[in-house]
Amino acid sequence: MPKLTIIAFDGTQYDFDVQNGSTVMENAVRNSVPGIEAECGGACACATCHVYVDEEWSATVGAPEAMEEDMLDFAYEVKPTSRLSCQIKMSDGLDGLVVHVPERQA
Ligand code: FES
């Protein structure tokens, strides 16, 4: 069971043991982490599940695919580490992943 840490915009840290194959967004919503709206339910069609992947994890998580990159154009204050959290699937390779919630969603 990989560990996932989500840091809310106010600095509150949420730590979870998560299922392989679940997305960062699903875990955030299930645990009511503030700031992840996920209006489209994970279909990569809303950009309201935007997060910043922690710098240390950015290379491991990798870059968004073309469809996600297009949606990220609609996100608020996009940075090089921006990803849509519904497109990040947890796995043992992401054990310990840290992501940060932006100030607001688009
Ligand atoms: S939940 Fe809509 S793009 Fe991620």
Side-chain angles (χ1 to χ4, degrees), residues 11-76:
T12 307
Q13 183 170 327
Y14 298 83
D15 297 308
F16 307 113
D17 292 315
V18 303
Q19 299 287 339
N20 274 328
S22 65
T23 67
V24 171
M25 177 280 274
E26 287 165 349
N27 289 290
V29 168
R30 192 177 302 139
N31 292 288
S32 303
V33 175
I36 303 289
E37 295 168 12
E39 281 170 11
C40 78
C44 196
C46 75
T48 63
C49 65
H50 175 210
V51 295
Y52 303 120
V53 175
D54 196 82
E55 297 276 346
E56 286 197 9
W57 281 95
S58 192
T60 308
V61 172
E65 300 207 347
M67 185 177 161
E68 180 184 343
E69 194 152 354
D70 286 349
M71 279 317 301
L72 272 169
D73 288 344
F74 298 97
Y76 173 76

Side-chain angles (χ1 to χ4, degrees), residues 57-93:
W57 281 95
S58 192
T60 308
V61 172
E65 300 207 347
M67 185 177 161
E68 180 184 343
E69 194 152 354
D70 286 349
M71 279 317 301
L72 272 169
D73 288 344
F74 298 97
Y76 173 76
E77 267 202 42
V78 175
K79 299 179 184 176
T81 57
S82 288
R83 290 291 310 266
L84 295 179
S85 59
C86 68
Q87 302 301 306
I88 305 175
K89 271 208 170 86
M90 293 302 297
S91 64
D92 290 336

